[in-house]
Amino acid sequence: LLPFLPGINRAEAAAIGVTEVAPGVFVHQGKFADVNAENAGDISNQSFIVGADAVAVVDTGGSARIGKSLGEAIAVVTPLPIRYVVNTHMHPDHVFGNAAFKDGKAEFVAHHKMARGLSARAESYLTRNKEWMGDANFEGTEIVLPTKDVTDSLVLDLGGRTLTLQTRPTAHTDNDMTIVDSATSTMFLGDLAFARRVPTLDGSILGWLKVIETLKSETAARVVTGHGPPSMAMGEALLPMERYLSAIVRDVRAAIKDGKTISDATETAALSEKDSWLLFDDHHRRNVTAAFAELEWE
């Protein structure tokens, strides 16, 4: 174990649903579901890293209620203060829990494009998520924008370990960012990787495939995906994603060549992937529609 971690309450962490995937790196696994009243937005992975001096949080869940639960878990594991709240991208299931941390002294850190994107969608994000999870579950949830932007890369110091934040080109969104913990070689991918749950496209499918290719050349002892088990090997996380997105590109290009419509493509493209992903019927057609709109102008 790292020499500055003797005070961590590991037994209690496991009991409250937080898994230590590497020394001082803890992950709460979100549910494989869409946002609803039962889960209150707890559908994405939330993580925190404990240094000698402070804690950093990576993604906070889909409501103030979920963010509060994460904060309570952190307090059980360690008495150290939360210095940074880092968001991997702008989607509500990763950022709405920020509200639970806004009264502390933490800096909110994100890709330099996240504030613009989140502000533009704020009203629709708040309205839809409140409808999905209900007033009681949504109470206290609000948009908390970054206080520190990352334009390329940034190093955060927690004492005895550093986190390297790296912005990525447009892929899942136009504001994706990865985080690497120096002490354990753990990389947080956010929604650049989904495991088991079908990916959702809100950026560029070709850009996403390029980012996956870049990530495959990078080294990490383990990765934490935005949706999936608490930790995985890099290839285990990325290869199914690459296969799924490539199948969409291949089949949509074929449909365009044959003069078919978007509607036609949604009925046929990448259906070979159907049995490999949870929530496929809920999100796959939207992915194909977005890919068609991008690829028809190649």
Side-chain angles (χ1 to χ4, degrees), residues 7-59:
I8 285 181
N9 190 336
R10 292 180 168 82
E12 190 66 19
I16 58 176
V18 178
T19 301
E20 188 176 26
V21 300
V25 179
F26 295 84
V27 180
H28 169 73
Q29 180 180 330
K31 297 173 176 59
F32 293 117
D34 285 329
V35 172
N36 57 43
E38 184 177 351
N39 60 49
D42 184 15
I43 66 167
S44 64
N45 292 341
Q46 306 135 44
S47 308
F48 60 95
I49 305 100
V50 182
D53 303 327
V55 176
V57 180
V58 177
D59 290 339

Side-chain angles (χ1 to χ4, degrees), residues 4 50-54 83 156-162:
F4 52 77
V50 182
D53 303 327
R83 182 176 294 168
L156 305 179
D157 186 2
L158 301 180
R161 74 195 314 164
T162 57

Side-chain angles (χ1 to χ4, degrees), residues 59-205:
D59 290 339
T60 56
S63 65
R65 173 181 166 183
I66 299 305
K68 181 181 178 183
S69 295
L70 178 62
E72 291 170 350
I74 294 169
V76 167
V77 171
T78 176
L80 290 172
I82 298 168
R83 182 176 294 168
Y84 302 106
V85 174
V86 183
N87 292 127
T88 59
H89 65 292
M90 68 179 178
H91 285 154
D93 54 314
H94 296 261
V95 306
F96 272 2
N98 287 5
F101 299 92
K102 71 183 182 69
D103 293 332
K105 296 181 179 180
E107 286 194 271
F108 293 85
V109 189
H111 191 294
H112 68 99
K113 291 184 179 180
M114 195 186 93
R116 181 185 63 191
L118 185 54
S119 296
R121 299 187 185 185
E123 185 175 349
S124 64
Y125 277 173
L126 289 166
T127 299
R128 284 185 296 167
N129 280 266
K130 184 177 182 179
E131 290 174 354
W132 291 335
M133 68 180 75
D135 291 353
N137 287 326
F138 202 67
E139 184 178 359
T141 302
E142 60 182 275
I143 300 290
V144 178
L145 296 175
T147 57
K148 181 183 284 291
D149 290 337
V150 183
T151 55
D152 182 21
S153 63
L154 179 69
V155 177
L156 305 179
D157 186 2
L158 301 180
R161 74 195 314 164
T162 57
L163 303 180
T164 300
L165 283 53
Q166 180 67 55
T167 62
R168 303 290 180 171
T170 299
H172 171 61
T173 69
D174 73 349
N175 53 88
D176 300 308
M177 189 169 69
T178 57
I179 300 98
V180 175
D181 169 41
S182 65
T184 63
S185 185
T186 301
M187 181 181 287
F188 300 84
L189 294 173
D191 279 4
L192 289 172
F194 288 62
R196 302 180 187 169
R197 177 195 171 108
V198 72
T200 55
L201 175 60
D202 192 20
S204 164
I205 193 165

